[in-house]
């Protein structure tokens, strides 16, 4: 049995998968905000509930926002702020009495889709979360490639490539730097562009519907969003050149982008054509928790 936990800022979800990838248990709770120790207890309870429902003991993988330092085990860069600065892996292993594998949640997306999703036929899978923010994960041979520093594929925090005069120097990101992709190639970026252009707050889904209805302002905001996403994938192609890109997150459900991205990416890559498949995550919102479980799959 493979047990995975998706540790989010607002909810924790556990899944138990058998060797064929069939779900044997699934539970969800709100992420505690009362303290670090309460979060540890929530994980213990989720594992116990999953194992009781599944009727078997399992390996444990956990996907977290942020990442553990590969040498110290200390978690950093998490929007679930209670775990920042904590040796989360060691504390969980002590509490659960067994080995625990941790990975960034975007890396879990990549692993999930590499094992039995949109990238199951590929060796190098780059997962791109296009949701509230812009993030990435890399799986090679169906395993997480976290890198020497543990921050491989942290694409949300390099600057928007090939900035135009109007875009430079870029919006200030929550990380403190200017121009990060986390402020552009995502739902937040779409809404921010619309607000900057019109002075009006509007939800991303409403902007997309207005674009589909032919609203010229919404169309312009959307076109800039897709072009910025294309620039990110072009830079990744120049650096990593994966076998497939798999998109997750809310904006990955905007079906138009899949037909429009290849021609836009071709403008920016250092090559004569762009043929890399770009696919929607097969497991959708479940990719993170499934990928956490598959951290143990051999």
């Amino acid at each position: 049995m493979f047990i995975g936990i998706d540790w989010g800022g607002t909810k924790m979800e556990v899944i138990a998968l058998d060797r064929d990838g069939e779900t044997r248990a699934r539970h969800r709770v709100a992420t505690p905000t009362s303290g670090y120790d309460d979060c540890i207890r929530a994980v213990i309870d989720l594992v116990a509930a999953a194992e009781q429902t599944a009727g078997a003991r399992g390996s444990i993988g956990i996907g977290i926002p942020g990442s553990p330092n590969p040498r110290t085990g200390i978690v950093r860069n998490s929007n679930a702020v209670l775990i920042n600065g904590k040796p989360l892996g060691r504390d969980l292993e002590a509490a659960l009495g067994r080995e625990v594998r941790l990975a960034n949640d975007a890396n879990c997306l990549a692993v999930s889709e590499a094992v039995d999703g949109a990238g199951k036929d590929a060796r190098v899978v780059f997962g791109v979360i296009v949701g509230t923010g812009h993030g990435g994960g890399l799986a090679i041979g169906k395993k997480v490639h976290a890198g020497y520093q543990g921050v491989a594929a942290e694409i949300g925090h390099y600057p928007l490539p090939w900035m135009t005069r109007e875009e430079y120097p870029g919006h200030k990101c929550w990380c403190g730097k200017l121009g990060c992709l986390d402020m552009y190639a995502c739902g937040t970026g779409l809404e921010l562009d619309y607000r900057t252009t019109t002075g009006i707050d509007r939800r991303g889904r409403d902007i997309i519907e207005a674009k589909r209805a032919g609203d010229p302002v919404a169309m312009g905001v959307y076109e800039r969003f897709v072009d910025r996403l294309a620039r990110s994938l072009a830079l990744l192609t120049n650096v990593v050149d994966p076998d497939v890109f798999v998109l997750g997150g809310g904006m990955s459900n905007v079906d138009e982008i899949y037909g429009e991205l290849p021609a836009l990416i071709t403008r920016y890559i250092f090559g004569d054509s762009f043929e890399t498949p770009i696919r929607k995550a097969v497991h959708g919102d479940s990719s993170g928790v499934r990928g956490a479980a598959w951290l143990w799959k051999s």
Side-chain angles (χ1 to χ4, degrees):
M1 194 69 62
F2 300 87
I3 294 173
I5 292 177
D6 183 14
W7 183 321
T10 59
K11 60 91 179 171
M12 288 182 176
E13 183 175 11
V14 66
I15 198 169
L17 303 176
D18 64 21
R19 292 191 176 275
D20 296 322
E22 295 297 322
T23 300
R24 299 304 181 192
R26 193 164 189 169
H27 303 280
R28 179 183 290 190
V29 297
T31 303
T33 58
S34 48
Y36 179 70
D37 291 340
D38 290 335
C39 291
I40 298 294
R41 280 191 287 272
V43 171
I44 295 171
D45 291 343
L46 283 171
V47 171
E51 292 186 333
Q52 181 177 12
T53 300
R57 181 179 172 92
S59 58
I60 300 173
I62 301 181
I64 60 171
S67 60
N69 183 303
R71 276 162 291 287
T72 67
I74 300 298
V75 173
R76 63 274 164 97
N77 303 326
S78 176
N79 61 6
V81 295
L82 289 174
I83 63 177
N84 282 327
K86 303 291 188 180
L88 180 61
R90 292 198 296 273
D91 290 343
L92 286 169
E93 288 179 344
L96 291 163
R98 69 189 98 164
E99 187 180 353
V100 173
R101 291 183 180 174
L102 295 181
N104 174 264
D105 49 11
N107 281 327
C108 289
L109 162 74
V111 168
S112 172
E113 295 298 321
V115 170
D116 60 359
K120 65 182 180 181
D121 56 346
R123 180 174 180 272
V124 181
V125 177
F126 207 110
V128 181
I129 295 178
V130 195
T132 303
H134 184 80
L138 180 58
I140 300 176
K142 306 187 188 304
K143 303 288 186 182
V144 169
H145 179 79
Y148 188 75
Q149 306 295 334
V151 293
E154 286 284 5
I155 61 176
H157 297 281
Y158 58 57
L160 175 65
W162 299 283
M163 276 190 178
T164 65
R165 186 185 302 272
E166 293 75 23
E167 290 167 339
Y168 185 81
H171 300 296
K172 187 172 183 179
C173 181
W174 60 266
C175 74
K177 297 182 175 64
L178 293 175
C180 291
L181 268 164
D182 217 32
M183 303 301 293
Y184 288 96
C186 57
T188 296
L190 185 83
E191 294 172 358
L192 177 59
D193 191 355
Y194 192 90
R195 183 167 65 250
T196 302
T197 302
T198 66
I200 299 170
D201 286 321
R202 200 168 189 181
R203 294 186 304 173
R205 69 184 68 176
D206 296 330
I207 297 169
I208 295 300
E209 288 306 314
K211 168 258 177 188
R212 289 169 175 162
D215 178 88
V217 175
M219 291 174 68
V221 169
Y222 168 80
E223 288 167 4
R224 288 190 291 275
F225 159 76
V226 179
D227 185 73
R228 290 161 177 166
L229 178 57
R231 287 184 245 170
S232 177
L233 299 188
L235 182 57
L236 289 171
T237 302
N238 288 346
V239 175
V240 180
D241 199 7
D243 299 324
V244 61
F245 286 109
V246 179
L247 307 188
M251 294 299 292
S252 72
N253 294 316
V254 180
D255 291 335
E256 300 95 300
I257 65 177
Y258 297 92
E260 297 170 4
L261 281 169
L264 292 170
I265 294 169
T266 301
R267 298 179 185 176
Y268 297 107
I269 63 167
F270 191 65
D272 57 357
S273 65
F274 177 82
E275 307 294 340
T276 310
I278 304 173
R279 300 170 181 161
K280 186 188 299 186
V282 166
H283 298 296
D285 293 341
S286 297
S287 274
V289 71
R290 290 179 64 89
W294 288 146
L295 293 175
W296 283 89
K297 190 170 179 65
S298 57

